[in-house]
Amino acid sequence: MSISVIILAAGQGTRMKSKLPKVLHPISGLPMLHYSIKAAQSVSDDIYVVLYHQAKLIEEEITKSFDNIKFVLQDHENYPGTGGAVMNIEPKHEKVLVLNGDMPLVTQEALEPLLKMDGDIVMSVFDLPDPSGYGRVIVKNGEVQGIVEEKDATDKQKSIKTVNAGVYLFKKEVLERYLPLLSNDNAQKEYYLTDIVKMAKEDGRHIVPVWVEEEAFKGVNSRYDLACAEEIMQAKIKEKWMRSGVTMHLPSTIYIDSRAQFIGECELENGVTILGESIINDSHIKAHTVVEDADIKSSTCGPMARIRPGTVLVDTHIGNFVEVKKSHLKGVKAGHLSYLGDAEIDEGTNIGAGTITCNYDGISKYKTTIGKNVFIGSDTQIVAPVTIEDDVMIAAGTTVTKDVKSGSLAISRTPQKIVENFFHKFFRTGKKDG
Ligand code: UD1
Ligand code: CA
């Protein structure tokens, strides 16, 4: 489609009360601005992101995931406000879609009704029982007459329930004509983009309101709004995966990153957290397990396991209180209370309770390699770098510091001593053993 998109992201976001710029606050794993850009990319090949406050930081973050985005620096000192933000841009196409950067729930489908309409300005509106925080839209005879910001509104105007959702489709020529005529004669001393509407209306232009689904156009101004937007997004993410074959128990207690993927039939129990770019394939993740940037196939994890970045599990069983980091496990059982870090463990191997890979010496991380059919007894420490070959038994309580050859037993233990009658003497029980 031949439209240009301008995304406004130069504001300070004062109401977030945060050092991090508002548009970089994450929702379901990604900065808010990421979602507006994604929506923009679905409809346009000519995208501008307007920046000012912490521009460098935002640009760096966004260029990590997107190319082809044109960053524009707003002349914020002289022209603050959403109108100022749109000045000095020369869009390629005749139609210009303006999006706020603080609308993480907006999608291609949500934008479609706007893009279909014809008018000098097409603008998104919705009705709210409590319209506070939004600009109020005056609609008469099916056309918009003007927009009044809350801070400039009279009590009567404040009672208007129709609000400006903050997405507009302008004819480029309309922007070119009215942007230079904006003034900052208002409560915030800012150049409001919304004032173009009134001026254009007075010249007999057609300003068409489109009632949109509130959910998709929810603006995030405070951390409370951020939490509300994330809840909506989480519900959508979970619905999508449930519809494609993922069973979820008590989905309201489950958190899933927007980048996570599920393949085949998966089951997630209550309290599960799936973070980052995890890929879960035909697996069962049990209650209160946390998975981050891991690849899990035909496996079970938890309850209460932690699977950390860089982990790959195939045909593996991970039980309760087991932490796995940057390790590849294939056909392995690690049922209880273990830490497996920087390890490679092969088929048929059993990791006893309390096994720890000592992968860090305070300076560097080292690798542990464990072969096939190895039986690691409980309470074993494996001091990396070390290799345990196939068909090995490690006795319970062993500290493995040297490589173990195939077919052997490794054992390091202090021999057990028996001191008879010790208990009765020590506690002066007056008794004696047989
Ligand atoms: C704006 C609208 C309001 C609408 C609401 C919808 C104006 C004047 N008001 O209000 O009618 O109901 O959005 O969510 O447009 N920005 C810049 N440069 C600036 C100021 C802001 O790029 O100088 C960006 C912000 O980063 C943000 C967006 O514009 O992404 C909206 O700014 P914000 O201050 O949140 O406007 P609202 O008060 O929410
Ligand atoms: Ca806003």
Side-chain angles (χ1 to χ4, degrees):
M1 186 182 287
S2 45
I3 61 168
S4 296
V5 180
I6 301 175
I7 302 175
L8 309 186
Q12 195 166 9
T14 324
R15 289 166 280 181
M16 292 299 280
K17 302 193 176 17
S18 165
K19 285 193 202 82
L20 187 71
K22 172 164 83 174
V23 295
L24 290 189
H25 274 260
I27 292 200
S28 301
L30 289 170
M32 243 198 272
L33 183 56
H34 197 102
Y35 299 98
S36 321
I37 296 178
K38 267 230 138 122
Q41 279 190 331
S42 67
V43 299
S44 173
D45 62 349
D46 186 42
I47 301 167
Y48 303 83
V49 173
V50 184
L51 300 175
Y52 176 73
H53 289 284
Q54 293 181 271
K56 229 177 146 198
L57 182 65
I58 300 174
E59 185 173 338
E60 268 168 25
E61 188 57 40
I62 293 306
T63 43
K64 276 186 209 159
S65 323
F66 299 97
D67 41 23
N68 264 336
I69 304 294
K70 287 157 238 175
F71 294 95
V72 179
L73 201 64
Q74 180 179 352
D75 180 6
H76 199 277
E77 263 144 56
N78 297 310
Y79 295 98
T82 49
V86 181
M87 291 172 186
N88 303 319
I89 300 177
E90 286 173 23
K92 192 161 101 182
H93 300 296
E94 288 311 308
K95 289 206 165 176
V96 184
L97 180 73
V98 177
L99 291 177
N100 283 354
D102 61 358
M103 265 180 204
L105 299 166
V106 76
T107 58
Q108 179 183 5
E109 302 85 74
L111 291 172
E112 253 151 33
L114 280 164
L115 304 179
K116 273 197 286 200
M117 294 300 274
D118 211 24
D120 292 305
I121 305 172
V122 179
M123 59 170 292
S124 55
V125 301
F126 48 74
D127 295 329
L128 285 181
D130 172 16
S132 55
Y134 286 97
R136 310 297 203 276
V137 182
I138 303 157
V139 183
K140 226 195 253 166
N141 306 326
E143 288 228 351
V144 178
Q145 314 294 313
I147 306 169
V148 190
E149 289 309 297
E150 178 157 275
K151 287 184 179 139
D152 303 297
T154 61
D155 282 345
K156 194 165 166 237
Q157 287 168 329
K158 276 188 191 149
S159 69
I160 296 174
K161 305 281 189 247
T162 302
V163 302
N164 170 20
V167 176
Y168 325 80
L169 185 66
F170 288 98
K171 281 192 178 154
K172 180 163 80 177
E173 159 262 317
V174 169
L175 281 178
E176 282 166 354
R177 166 149 178 73
Y178 295 102
L179 279 174
L181 304 180
L182 285 180
S183 83
N184 64 348
D185 184 16
N186 53 50
Q188 302 187 82
K189 294 275 163 283
E190 287 188 354
Y191 293 82
Y192 293 162
L193 182 62
T194 44
D195 284 348
I196 288 188
V197 169
K198 187 163 169 271
M199 289 191 279
K201 183 69 211 165
E202 281 166 2
D203 285 350
R205 305 282 198 147
H206 290 296
I207 325 285
V208 182
V210 175
W211 267 262
V212 294
E213 206 193 324
E214 184 211 333
E215 252 190 22
F217 289 81
K218 214 174 153 49
V220 171
N221 295 313
S222 64
R223 297 198 202 215
Y224 175 72
D225 296 336
L226 185 75
C228 295
E230 183 156 56
E231 269 195 59
I232 295 169
M233 189 178 286
Q234 280 296 307
K236 285 188 178 167
I237 291 172
K238 285 179 270 188
E239 182 179 340
K240 173 183 132 193
W241 290 119
M242 285 187 271
R243 290 196 186 283
S244 62
V246 179
T247 293
M248 295 189 197
H249 303 284
L250 291 182
S252 63
T253 64
I254 294 173
Y255 184 94
I256 300 178
D257 193 292
S258 63
R259 295 163 293 174
Q261 301 282 330
F262 296 86
I263 302 169
E265 285 190 48
C266 295
E267 186 170 347
L268 306 182
E269 293 184 10
N270 57 297
V272 161
T273 302
I274 309 285
L275 303 171
E277 296 178 18
S278 296
I279 303 176
I280 320 281
N281 186 341
D282 276 321
S283 292
H284 182 171
I285 313 296
K286 296 185 186 171
H288 302 288
T289 291
V290 179
V291 176
E292 182 174 1
D293 283 313
D295 198 333
I296 301 177
K297 189 175 178 197
S298 308
S299 298
T300 57
C301 296
M304 290 164 288
R306 181 162 181 222
I307 314 298
R308 294 175 49 201
T311 295
V312 179
L313 306 177
V314 181
D315 296 322
T316 285
H317 165 68
I318 299 292
N320 49 197
F321 308 113
V322 174
E323 176 181 348
V324 187
K325 188 218 80 172
K326 209 176 170 187
S327 293
H328 290 208
L329 277 61
K330 186 176 162 220
V332 174
K333 285 192 183 123
H336 336 260
L337 291 159
S338 288
Y339 171 61
L340 304 171
D342 304 301
E344 192 149 325
I345 312 179
D346 213 338
E347 272 172 274
T349 288
N350 187 85
I351 306 290
T355 297
I356 306 289
T357 53
C358 310
N359 60 330
Y360 184 52
D361 64 1
I363 300 168
S364 302
K365 303 270 167 69
Y366 301 96
K367 201 175 158 181
T368 298
T369 307
I370 304 176
K372 294 187 171 70
N373 306 317
V374 173
F375 184 89
I376 310 259
S378 297
D379 191 28
T380 292
Q381 305 91 52
I382 303 170
V383 183
V386 74
T387 298
I388 299 171
E389 295 184 358
D390 295 348
D391 307 322
V392 159
M393 178 178 259
I394 308 288
T398 295
T399 303
V400 179
T401 53
K402 289 183 238 155
D403 290 355
V404 186
K405 285 263 171 278
S406 180
S408 44
L409 165 77
I411 178 164
S412 75
R413 262 184 210 164
T414 325
Q416 180 175 324
K417 264 197 280 181
I418 300 284
V419 181
E420 281 175 11
N421 259 323
F422 175 89
F423 182 92
H424 299 296
K425 268 195 220 151
F426 189 82
F427 292 107
R428 298 184 175 85
T429 64
K431 289 192 203 158
K432 246 184 159 192
D433 278 346

